[in-house]
Structure formats: structure tokens, C-alpha cells
Amino acid sequence: MITPENMVVIYKAAQKEGLAHPAESDIMAVIKEVESAEIEAPAGEAIASELLDASALKGSKVKKSKEILFGATEWTLKNGVNVILLPTEYEKDRIQFILYREGGSSLIATEDLPSFEPNLYSMFSDYNGVAGFSGTTLAKMLSGKQVGVSTDISTFNTGLSGSSTVKDLETMFQLLYLRYTQPRFDADAYKQADETLRSILPNYVNQPNYKLQSELTKTIYENNPREIIISEDVLNKASLETIERVTKELYKDAAGLTMIMVGDFDIDEVKPLVEKYVGSLPKGKKAPKWVDPNEDITKKSVVNDFKVDMQTPKATAIQVIRVDDKYTADNAVVYHALEYILNMLYTETLREDEGGTYGASVSLELMRIPKQFGMLQVAFETNPSSADKLRQLALDGLRGIAENGPTAEQYEKTVKNLEKNIPERKITNSYWLYSLK
């Protein structure tokens, strides 16, 4: 809420002869006039005070309860939903949740994926509302509240995520129920998202970064049609009807659902809310399972050296290396440590010794499903004349670590970094939320 204590007013205008600028007293007079004015809502604009009639929900009781990992409590509701609860005091007045089950985009047909292109789908979701409320109306209903719930469709999971304060916790549960059972498919919201993207695409697709990302995706995924890149053709293939049909299938019931909630709450106090709202999600018969969408990255050795017109010449090098590896807790720690070591190494060699780049970005991921493998990505920007040399230095540095291991200094710094960062991460709700998943 904007108050006199937190308001900042910035006046910006052209410096033009003959143009009269207001004094500070003039601006303050306008603010005071607005503050004292009685502004009526536009005629015909009636904003509902409640998202739903909570008394109409039957809910379902907790059928089983047990203590699990990290001292969390797990409930099984009569409608089959598993609910994992972990009260914490790390972040005062903040509660987070995720609600998920297997499926995700792995269950979406290739021809339907353009409708779920991330830019289009997220923009549509921003403009869209829920149930009988438009996005604009919903925003007004939630004015003054610190709460939000959004749809999540990842590659292998379908669900929701959200957060709230203690005061707005019931509103969060109401939004959870409505997002899952009464998603909105607003034609005006879809049109707005579509038109917005079409207006910026002509310029966007000519940007070097777009061309780089496009070529990178095509190369490492070998032109896989499931790897969608935003374009006019993608927008032409997308439709609101497809979003509605697929969404209703993905969210048709609660079979296989798990909810994890972490934060500043009391288990006994949230139990009636869980039973009423999560317990009212429709019970299903068979939990969906993800399928292998065949979106693996290439195992071939490929070099894609392409050029684009740029006002300021530069080269961007991205090296992606795939290796078959098992997903284990030990390997996950090793990958995290190696990422830190390589970042140190490339800062020293590529940046400080060679002066060829402002810095290299290293990303190491260990995949668990649908196949287990590791993926390393090293990216940096440099002068075109230095690109090949730095690219080879990056490979030589990686090879040196593989053959000889890190130096004693690199190892010691990495251990200290882990000892510092892990305790810091443990005092966040997000750490525990995804540790329990």
C-alpha cells in the first residue's frame, strides 16, 4: 500500500525553451487533492468479496497420519491426496506450497505443444483469471493481500505452486481449489497475449540472442519437433481451444496428487483448511504416469559455427557436453562441487590470465528422469578473434580436472563454499520444500 511515508515522486519532462515545469508545491498540491477526493468505482463494476462459497465444499478428512523425513507430518486424505507439512520459523509470516502429480508436458501430444510455448502460456496465465473472475477482477479482489497461486506444467509433473502470509492462508487454499477445479479460459486474455507477442516478434526474432538460442536448441536436440521455439508459425499453430482441452485432461482429478507445504503455520490450525479445500478436489481412479517424450540431447560431436550481423562484433561460445552417469546423492554433491571448481578455474584462466572475457558461466546438471545422465554447459562472450583459443582453453581445463583432479587450493575453497552455503540454504522454506519432494 502506498503511503506518504513510502511514496517517491519522480518528475521527468523535456528540457525545452518555453516549457513551464511545476514546482514541488504544485506536485504536492495535486497529491493532496487526490488523497482527499472521493473516487467512486466505475458504474456497473461490482467486485465480489468472496472467491467461493466455502460452505458448499464437502471436503474429506485425514485418513492416515505419520511422521516422515526431517520431522515433517504426512497425511493421506480420504480423496487420496497425500499432504506433507513442515512448520518452520525460518521465514516469518511466509508459507509456500507445491501441489503435483506425474504427467506434465510429457503427456501433451507434439502437435499440441505450440499452445504451451512458455512465452505464450505464461503471458496468457498472467492476463487470465480463475473461475468466473477475469484477471482484472481477480487482481482487485486480491488487492491488499500477499498471496498467489499459479499453474505449473513441467516436463514430468502437473500441478500448482503458491505462497501467502499467515493472514491470507485461507485465500491461498481457495485459489488452490479454484485453479485446480475451475481453470479459466478467457478469450480476451488469450487474444491479448497473442497480439502482444505478435507485436514484438518481428524485432525479437532478429536479435542475436534469439538466433543463438534457436540454433543452440536445434543443435543439441537435433531439430526435435517437441523443442518449441517462439515464432509466428508457433503462434499460428497455438489455440485457446487446445489449452482448454489439454488443461482439463491434465487437471481432471486428484489421483496421484501430493501437496507439500512449508512455513510459518501451526499444523492443528491448517488441518481444517486442508480437509476442506484440498479434500474437496475430485477423487480419481488412476494416477497418471509420465512417459518418455524422447527429448534427449544429442550424443554426437557437433560444431555449429554460425554468424549474424551485429553492430558491435562479438562471439558467444557455448559448449555442451553430455555423459552417461547415475543419479545418486553422492554424484549430485560431486556435480555441485565440480561446477564451483570450474567457475573458479575459468575465472582464473579465461578472464584473468587471458583477459578474453568478462567471465564464463558454468552449469552442471545431473538428470534423473527419463534417462540418467550428466550435462555440462560452459558459455562465455569474447572477441571473435579469441573465441577458438578460449574454447580450447576451456576444454583443456576440464580435461585437466578429469585427469588430475582439482588442486589442493581449489578443493579447500570448494569445501569452504559448501560449508557456508548449505547452512544458509537450510534456513529458507524453498530448501525444505524441495528436499521433501
Side-chain angles (χ1 to χ4, degrees):
M1 179 179 293
I2 298 176
T3 68
E5 286 72 32
N6 64 14
M7 180 188 298
V8 176
V9 179
I10 299 175
Y11 173 78
K12 183 178 181 181
Q15 188 173 359
K16 186 177 179 181
E17 186 177 350
L19 181 63
H21 297 283
E24 179 182 346
S25 58
D26 297 326
I27 295 175
M28 292 305 299
V30 172
I31 293 174
K32 289 181 179 179
E33 182 180 351
V34 173
E35 287 177 339
S36 60
E38 294 185 7
I39 301 174
E40 297 181 0
E45 185 181 12
I47 305 301
S49 59
E50 300 293 338
L51 289 168
L52 52 77
D53 180 7
S55 65
L57 300 181
K58 295 182 179 180
S60 56
K61 298 293 185 181
V62 172
K63 185 171 65 173
K64 296 178 182 178
S65 177
K66 64 179 179 180
E67 185 173 316
I68 59 169
L69 199 64
F70 309 129
T73 298
E74 181 177 17
W75 292 336
T76 300
L77 305 183
K78 287 188 176 180
N79 65 346
V81 180
N82 287 325
V83 180
I84 299 172
L85 303 164
L86 181 64
T88 70
E89 296 181 352
Y90 301 127
E91 298 178 53
K92 284 294 185 182
D93 201 26
R94 181 163 176 80
I95 300 160
Q96 292 175 258
F97 84 89
I98 53 175
L99 179 76
Y100 65 94
R101 68 176 181 176
E102 288 190 29
S105 64
S106 75
L107 301 182
I108 301 178
T110 301
E111 61 268 23
D112 291 335
L113 285 174
S115 299
F116 292 87
E117 191 282 324
N119 293 283
L120 174 63
Y121 187 70
S122 63
M123 191 172 290
F124 164 67
S125 299
D126 288 342
Y127 297 144
N128 199 23
V130 69
F133 309 109
S134 69
T136 303
T137 300
L138 182 63
K140 293 176 180 177
M141 294 175 68
L142 298 180
S143 177
K145 297 179 183 290
Q146 297 182 50
V147 61
V149 175
S150 59
T151 301
D152 284 340
I153 302 176
S154 63
T155 305
F156 300 108
N157 286 310
T158 303
L160 306 171
S161 62
S163 64
S164 79
T165 59
V166 174
K167 176 176 68 71
D168 299 320
L169 186 56
E170 183 162 9
T171 301
M172 185 187 80
F173 275 101
Q174 291 177 345
L175 286 170
L176 178 158
Y177 174 79
L178 291 177
R179 292 270 185 219
Y180 206 95
T181 63
Q182 299 178 45
R184 184 179 176 87
F185 306 100
D186 191 316
D188 290 337
Y190 182 83
K191 181 181 179 182
Q192 186 177 1
D194 179 76
E195 290 179 347
T196 300
L197 287 173
R198 288 182 188 275
S199 69
I200 64 177
L201 263 179
N203 180 60
Y204 180 60
V205 298
N206 287 316
Q207 298 299 313
N209 284 341
Y210 171 85
K211 295 180 178 180
L212 173 64
Q213 189 59 47
S214 178
E215 289 298 319
L216 176 64
T217 301
K218 292 176 182 177
T219 302
I220 65 175
Y221 290 103
E222 298 182 304
N223 292 300
N224 190 323
R226 292 187 65 84
E227 298 303 320
I228 304 297
I229 304 167
I230 185 68
S231 66
E232 186 175 356
D233 182 57
V234 167
L235 293 180
N236 291 338
K237 292 177 180 178
S239 72
L240 180 60
E241 291 74 22
T242 299
I243 293 177
E244 180 173 359
R245 170 174 52 81
V246 173
T247 300
K248 286 181 176 179
E249 178 61 26
L250 291 176
Y251 291 85
K252 65 182 180 181
D253 57 45
L257 268 182
T258 295
M259 178 184 185
I260 304 175
M261 189 167 79
V262 175
D264 186 8
F265 62 86
D266 179 90
I267 286 185
D268 292 333
E269 291 179 2
V270 302
K271 187 174 183 180
L273 299 176
V274 170
E275 291 179 329
K276 178 181 285 291
Y277 296 107
V278 182
S280 292
L281 298 178
K283 184 177 182 179
K285 293 182 180 180
K286 185 178 180 181
K289 299 292 183 182
W290 59 262
V291 298
D292 187 347
N294 295 313
E295 298 176 9
D296 199 3
I297 68 172
T298 184
K299 295 182 179 181
K300 300 175 184 178
S301 178
V302 183
V303 176
N304 183 349
D305 188 354
F306 71 98
K307 294 175 174 58
V308 297
D309 292 331
M310 304 179 71
Q311 290 183 342
T312 303
K314 72 173 180 179
T316 301
I318 301 178
Q319 297 171 293
V320 180
I321 299 173
R322 181 195 191 282
V323 59
D324 290 329
D325 209 348
K326 294 292 185 182
Y327 187 97
T328 65
D330 287 346
N331 278 348
V333 174
V334 169
Y335 272 57
H336 185 72
L338 180 58
E339 181 179 275
Y340 186 76
I341 290 169
L342 288 174
N343 272 309
M344 282 194 296
L345 176 65
Y346 293 149
T347 296
E348 179 182 346
T349 57
L350 304 187
R351 177 178 176 174
E352 296 175 1
D353 292 348
E354 294 294 328
T357 179
Y358 286 115
S361 171
V362 179
S363 172
L364 258 170
E365 292 185 79
L366 186 57
M367 308 299 181
R368 180 164 50 183
I369 56 174
K371 301 178 181 70
Q372 296 187 19
F373 67 91
M375 183 173 74
L376 166 67
Q377 179 173 297
V378 180
F380 58 86
E381 294 180 349
T382 186
N383 295 321
S385 59
S386 303
D388 288 338
K389 180 181 180 180
L390 296 188
R391 189 168 62 84
Q392 189 58 51
L393 280 173
L395 290 173
D396 290 344
L398 177 63
R399 190 175 293 112
I401 296 292
E403 293 175 354
N404 306 311
T407 64
E409 182 182 6
Q410 290 169 338
Y411 179 80
E412 183 179 351
K413 286 184 177 180
T414 302
V415 171
K416 287 183 178 179
N417 177 262
L418 290 172
E419 290 175 342
K420 174 180 179 292
N421 286 342
I422 291 178
E424 289 177 352
R425 290 170 59 200
K426 282 185 174 182
I427 59 174
T428 65
N429 289 337
S430 295
Y431 175 87
W432 296 106
L433 191 71
Y434 290 97
S435 294
L436 286 164
K437 186 174 179 181

